Amino acid sequence: MSDPRQRDLDTLLRREFEGPVADGGFSDRVMRQLPPRRSRRWPLWLGLSAGASAAGLALARTPLLRTGWQDWLAGQFSAAGIGLWLMAMGVAWLAAAWALSAAAPR
């Protein structure tokens, strides 16, 4: 948690703030001359590939995964099939939350 005195100072400064300080367009000129931000997506894809490969290798030999997959394809409900379905839904929700947080403006 942050220091209560720091929060009080932030509140006081926000209350007394009257708006942007006039700088004669200096900030705009500086921002126009900055190079565009480079997208660094390769660590994301590398991490996703490595994680999916490691998970696949770790789960490839387990009978639970094989049984769950067979039950799921056969349309039967079993503990293994439900576990596989819950795992797939959890990964989908995590991926969606990650994508939304990465797309949010900063």
Side-chain angles (χ1 to χ4, degrees):
M1 290 188 71
S2 62
D3 185 14
R5 291 175 293 179
Q6 181 71 28
R7 283 183 290 178
D8 294 340
L9 180 61
D10 285 343
T11 304
L12 179 64
L13 288 173
R14 289 181 196 281
R15 191 177 332 133
E16 297 297 324
F17 182 66
E18 295 178 9
V21 176
D23 62 0
F26 173 77
S27 300
D28 292 330
R29 286 193 307 272
V30 169
M31 292 304 291
R32 278 194 302 267
Q33 290 190 8
L34 290 175
R37 180 179 281 180
R38 289 185 285 176
S39 176
R40 295 183 185 168
R41 298 263 184 215
W42 68 268
L44 170 68
W45 294 112
L46 180 66
L48 283 173
S49 307
S53 299
L57 287 173
L59 293 174
R61 296 186 183 120
T62 61
L64 182 67
L65 182 66
R66 196 171 307 120
T67 304
W69 185 252
Q70 288 172 351
D71 290 346
W72 190 359
L73 291 177
Q76 299 173 353
F77 290 111
S78 67
I82 292 170
L84 188 64
W85 182 81
L86 288 174
M87 182 180 64
M89 293 304 297
V91 169
W93 277 102
L94 283 173
W98 189 5
L100 287 174
S101 69
R106 295 180 186 197

